[in-house]
C-alpha cells in the first residue's frame, strides 16, 4: 500500500531589516510612552525597511535565499512559491513572481495569497495540499510584509504596533508522518469594518481626496479586534487539540501570531501551556503581520527537535483566524 504523503517543513529562512524603531523613538513622534506600549502590547522595538526603493520582495528574496542555503538547494529546484502578504510590491504582478525573479527561481510558478495576519497559516495549508497531491516536491511559503509602507506615523493607535520582516519555510513530501498534520482555518467577512485599509482598492481607487484623508494607511478599531482575537485564537487552538486527541502536555511549542502579548497569554492559558512553551519575540519585532509565525520558527530553529508537536495559531483582518498542527521533521 502506498504511504500517505504529508508536507514536512524541511528548512526555515528569515530576514529582518537592520533599522530599529524603539518605543523611545515613537515617544518623540506621537503622544505615547514606553510604559503604555510595553504593558498594553509587549512591544519594545520593531524593524523598519528604511532605504528608498525597497519593497516587500526585498525582504522576501533574502529570506528564501537563506532557506535555500540552509537546505543546500538551488532556487531552480523550487516548484512553487506562495507569498503571503498584505503589502505586495504592487497590486499586480504578484510579489511571489518578483521574489522568484530576484532569487533566480525560474522553474517555479507562484502566487500571492492575502489573509492578513492569518496569511501564513492559509498559505502553509495551501502549500501542504500541493505537496500532498503528489504533484510537487518543493513548495516555498514566504510571509513578508513591509508594514511601514501602510502605517501612519502620526496615528498613535497603530504606529506603535507594526514592523517589517519576512520569513519562509520549505515544504517537501514525507511518508513517515512528519509535517503539517492538521489545519483549522476560519474567516468572517463581517469583521471588515474593524481592520482594513480604506482606499487603494476597487471600492475606493486612489484620489487626491483619499490621500488627503489618509485612507491609504491601516485602520484598526483595536478593542473589538482584541476581543475577537482573544476568543478566536484560543477557541480554534483548543478545538485543534481536541479533534487530534491532544492536550497541552503533548505540545512542545505554541507559535502564536505576535499582535499583542495579552492575546498570546490568553491562548496559551486556554491550551494549558506554560510560558516556556510559547515562542514570543513581539518585544523585538512588533506585529509583522504575515511574517510573525515563520519569523518565530526561524528564531527558534535550533531549539526545535525532530518529532516535536507544535501549534501555529493566528488571528487577523478579515476576520481570518486559524491553527495548524505540525510534527517537526528535523
Ligand atoms: O494583528 C491583527 C490583529 N490585531 C490585533 O490582534 C490587535 C488587537 N488589539 C489590541 O491589541 C489592542 O486593542 C491595542 C494594543 C491596539 C490597544 O490596546 P487597548 O488596551 O485596547 O487600548 P484602547 O484602544 O482601549 O485605548 C486605551 C486608552 C485610550 O485612552 P482613553 O480613551 O482611555 O483616555 C487611548 O486613547 O489608551 C489610549 N491610547 C494610547 N495611549 C498612549 C491608544 N493608543 C495609545 C498610545 N499611547 N500609543
Amino acid at each position: 500500500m502506498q504511504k500517505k504523503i504529508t508536507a514536512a517543513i524541511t528548512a526555515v529562512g528569515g530576514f529582518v531589516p537592520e533599522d530599529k524603531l524603539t518605543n523611545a523613538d515613537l515617544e518623540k513622534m506621537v503622544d505615547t510612552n514606553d510604559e503604555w506600549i510595553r504593558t498594553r502590547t509587549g512591544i519594545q522595538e520593531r524593524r523598519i525597511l528604511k532605504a528608498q526603493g525597497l519593497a516587500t520582495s526585498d525582504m522576501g528574496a533574502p529570506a528564501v535565499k537563506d532557506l535555500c542555503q540552509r537546505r543546500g538547494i538551488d532556487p531552480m529546484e523550487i516548484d512553487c512559491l506562495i507569498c503571503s502578504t498584505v503589502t505586495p510590491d504592487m497590486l499586480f504582478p504578484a510579489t511571489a513572481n518578483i521574489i522568484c525573479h530576484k532569487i533566480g527561481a525560474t522553474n517555479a510558478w507562484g502566487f500571492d495569497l492575502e489573509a492578513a495576519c492569518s496569511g501564513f497559516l492559509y498559505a502553509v495549508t495551501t502549500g501542504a495540499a500541493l505537496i500532498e497531491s503528489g504533484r510537487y516536491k518543493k513548495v516555498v511559503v514566504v510571509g513578508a510584509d513591509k508594514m511601514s509602507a501602510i502605517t501612519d506615523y502620526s496615528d498613535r493607535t497603530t504606529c506603535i504596533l507594526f514592523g517589517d520582516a519576512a520569513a519562509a519555510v520549505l515544504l517537501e513530501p514525507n511518508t513517515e508522518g512528519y509535517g503539517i498534520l492538521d489545519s483549522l482555518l476560519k474567516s468572517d467577512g463581517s469583521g471588515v469594518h474593524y481592520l482594513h485599509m480604506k482606499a487603494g482598492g476597487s471600492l475606493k481607487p486612489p484620489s487626491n481626496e483619499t490621500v488627503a484623508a489618509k485612507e491609504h494607511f491601516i485602520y484598526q478599531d483595536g478593542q473589538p479586534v482584541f476581543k475577537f482575537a482573544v476568543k478566536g485564537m484560543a477557541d480554534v487552538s483548543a478545538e485543534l487539540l481536541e479533534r487530534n486527541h491532544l492536550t497541552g502536555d503533548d505540545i512542545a511549542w505554541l507559535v502564536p501570531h505576535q499582535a499583542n502579548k495579552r492575546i498570546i497569554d490568553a491562548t496559551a492559558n486556554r491550551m494549558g501551556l506554560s510560558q516556556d512553551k510559547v515562542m514570543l519575540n513581539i518585544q523585538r519585532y512588533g506585529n509583522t503581520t504575515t511574517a510573525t509565525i515563520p519569523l518565530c520558527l526561524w528564531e527558534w530553529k535550533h531549539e526545535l527537535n525532530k518529532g516535536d508537536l507544535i501549534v501555529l495559531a493566528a488571528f487577523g483582518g478579515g476576520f481570518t483566524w486559524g491553527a495548524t498542527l505540525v510534527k517537526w521533521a528535523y
Side-chain angles (χ1 to χ4, degrees):
M1 202 175 77
Q2 205 177 354
K3 281 190 177 168
K4 189 178 174 230
I5 300 171
T6 51
I9 295 176
T10 54
V12 188
F15 175 85
V16 290
E18 277 184 12
D19 281 303
K20 292 178 182 173
L21 180 67
T22 65
N23 290 353
D25 296 330
L26 285 161
E27 283 178 357
K28 293 179 207 136
M29 295 159 67
V30 287
D31 179 15
T32 191
N33 59 79
D34 175 55
E35 211 241 325
W36 191 97
I37 302 173
R38 269 190 295 107
T39 53
R40 299 282 178 137
T41 70
I43 304 168
Q44 292 171 21
E45 60 186 36
R46 326 105 192 96
R47 300 298 180 97
I48 304 292
L49 189 67
K50 260 195 181 161
Q52 286 286 317
L54 295 185
T56 294
S57 66
D58 294 298
M59 297 187 292
V64 180
K65 268 192 192 163
D66 178 35
L67 173 153
C68 290
Q69 270 163 15
R70 287 177 193 285
R71 183 67 179 137
I73 62 163
D74 189 287
M76 293 288 280
E77 294 177 49
I78 300 171
D79 297 314
C80 175
L81 185 144
I82 307 172
C83 178
S84 162
T85 185
V86 294
T87 52
D89 289 19
M90 302 171 188
L91 271 181
F92 71 91
T95 302
N97 305 152
I98 301 169
I99 292 174
C100 285
H101 171 67
K102 285 185 174 168
I103 62 170
T106 50
N107 282 326
W109 62 288
F111 56 95
D112 286 1
L113 184 154
E114 198 272 279
C117 296
S118 311
F120 183 76
L121 297 191
Y122 276 49
V124 95
T125 305
T126 305
L130 295 177
I131 294 284
E132 287 158 13
S133 76
R135 287 183 66 167
Y136 301 101
K137 302 287 177 238
K138 287 186 174 53
V139 175
V140 169
V141 176
V142 52
D145 268 310
K146 184 186 171 189
M147 295 307 291
S148 61
I150 58 166
T151 298
D152 174 3
Y153 286 97
S154 66
D155 173 11
R156 71 173 182 172
T157 67
T158 51
C159 73
I160 55 135
L161 300 171
F162 295 99
D164 303 337
V169 299
L170 177 65
L171 299 174
E172 294 186 79
N174 185 283
T175 50
E176 291 163 349
Y178 292 94
I180 314 301
L181 300 186
D182 194 14
S183 265
L184 193 51
L185 303 177
K186 311 244 181 185
S187 74
D188 176 0
S190 69
V192 63
H193 308 292
Y194 303 107
L195 182 50
H196 57 233
M197 191 166 94
K198 291 185 192 305
S202 58
L203 178 65
K204 243 191 192 190
S207 66
N208 289 340
E209 288 73 28
T210 61
V211 172
K214 296 186 166 187
E215 290 180 343
H216 295 272
F217 294 120
I218 306 157
Y219 166 84
Q220 176 170 250
D221 189 355
Q223 272 198 13
V225 178
F226 183 88
K227 284 181 195 151
F228 278 105
V230 166
K231 187 169 164 22
M233 217 161 104
D235 279 358
V236 81
S237 304
E239 195 183 332
L240 183 78
L241 288 190
E242 209 176 297
R243 84 173 186 187
N244 285 281
H245 313 292
L246 298 168
T247 69
D249 292 340
D250 302 306
I251 302 303
W253 292 100
L254 169 65
V255 191
H257 170 52
Q258 314 275 311
N260 189 314
K261 184 171 181 307
R262 291 181 288 150
I263 300 172
I264 294 171
D265 290 345
T267 305
N269 282 341
R270 180 73 183 283
M271 294 170 72
L273 290 178
S274 52
Q275 295 270 345
D276 58 328
K277 286 183 164 186
V278 181
M279 294 189 191
L280 188 81
N281 59 13
I282 191 172
Q283 65 280 14
R284 275 175 287 123
Y285 302 121
N287 182 347
T288 57
T289 301
T290 187
T292 59
I293 290 174
L295 198 63
C296 280
L297 294 175
W298 179 61
E299 286 218 314
W300 267 262
K301 57 188 171 298
H302 297 304
E303 288 171 60
L304 288 162
N305 294 307
K306 190 171 181 179
D308 279 354
L309 282 178
I310 66 177
V311 172
L312 320 177
F315 187 93
F319 293 130
T320 55
W321 67 107
T324 296
L325 179 67
V326 182
K327 190 171 183 187
W328 202 250
Y330 65 101

